[in-house]
Amino acid sequence: MTETMDKPAVGTVPWAIKGELILNCNCTVFCPCVVSLGKHAPTEGYCQAWAGVRIDSGHYGDTDISGLNVGLLLEIPGLMARGNWQAAAFIDERATEDAYEGLVNIFSGAARGTTGLFGLLVSEFLGAERAAISYETEGDKRRLMVGKKIQGEVVPVRGADPDREIVVTNTEYWMGPDITVATATKGRVRAFGRVWDFDGRSAEICQIDWNGPGR
């Protein structure tokens, strides 16, 4: 039997990711989807967003994916929960072939588990491609650079106590229960025919602990 025939079916492979996610969308204020779970429309009636994932530790089956970064592009025509999303992924050029394949499976939703909802809500996966991706933290700033395709920087929004970030806690949001409210100081996308500039718009920071396959 060949190695290909021995490969476990996609959607049955155990995987896990721990790290951090940042997201910037076209909402003028904090994204309503976090609390409404997609039952409330984005502030502009539709959603356009980029996201970056820093994988501190993780695996896809026996393949180590720790230390890699991923960039995402998302477009949602209306209510998040109604689907018809379009999505694309940028995979760290440092990824091995097995790691690349695993990350595409995870971020397309095919691997099931935490990101399995992509498989249900994304009607058109625009594709995945390798890219030089940097995810940097400087003080409270987070920066994502995917070549010239995504150039983003987000900062937390401070509350009444200027030393503390505003955090929405104990949510049922798919990314994670605790979402730090942020804003983008830079949010530019030039990819897959999209030309977006979301400087000053809504952003989120989330510590992620994802796994699969499961639900």
Side-chain angles (χ1 to χ4, degrees):
M1 189 173 286
T2 66
E3 182 180 345
T4 301
M5 293 176 67
D6 282 336
K7 240 180 198 180
V10 176
T12 67
V13 178
W15 66 271
I17 288 177
K18 290 185 179 181
E20 185 176 80
L21 180 149
I22 57 173
L23 180 147
N24 169 218
C25 67
N26 64 319
C27 283
T28 52
V29 294
F30 186 60
C31 173
C33 298
V34 172
V35 176
S36 76
L37 303 180
K39 296 175 184 176
H40 190 289
T43 67
E44 306 306 283
Y46 59 92
C47 175
Q48 297 170 328
W50 62 264
V53 176
R54 185 192 72 217
I55 303 173
D56 296 332
S57 64
H59 68 89
Y60 179 82
D62 295 330
T63 301
D64 186 15
I65 56 175
S66 304
L68 299 176
N69 302 313
V70 175
L72 299 171
L73 179 153
L74 299 168
E75 190 160 18
I76 304 169
L79 295 179
M80 182 178 75
R82 288 184 181 169
N84 291 323
W85 299 17
Q86 291 181 313
F90 299 94
I91 308 298
D92 200 315
E93 64 181 7
R94 298 172 298 156
T96 65
E97 286 301 319
D98 286 344
Y100 175 86
E101 181 181 341
L103 288 167
V104 171
N105 288 338
I106 290 169
F107 286 95
S108 68
R112 299 175 60 232
T114 306
T115 56
L117 61 86
F118 287 172
L120 300 174
L121 298 175
V122 175
S123 60
E124 184 179 0
F125 187 65
L126 301 172
E129 58 185 58
R130 289 181 177 273
I133 306 175
S134 67
Y135 187 120
E136 301 174 348
T137 301
E138 180 184 335
D140 63 359
K141 295 179 182 177
R142 275 77 161 179
R143 295 192 189 96
L144 179 77
M145 301 292 287
V146 183
K148 295 183 178 179
K149 297 184 177 181
I150 302 177
Q151 298 179 334
E153 180 180 271
V154 305
V155 294
V157 175
R158 301 290 174 174
D161 179 347
D163 294 325
R164 295 173 58 198
E165 304 164 348
I166 299 175
V167 181
V168 181
T169 63
N170 194 35
T171 76
E172 292 186 83
Y173 202 41
W174 72 272
M175 293 190 325
D178 302 326
I179 308 295
T180 298
V181 180
T183 189
T185 50
K186 180 181 286 187
R188 299 174 190 175
V189 173
R190 305 286 187 272
F192 290 95
R194 275 74 175 168
V195 179
W196 299 339
D197 291 281
F198 299 149
D199 304 17
R201 298 267 174 158
S202 175
E204 303 164 18
I205 302 170
C206 180
Q207 305 307 308
I208 58 175
D209 186 358
W210 300 346
N211 60 80
R215 289 182 58 188

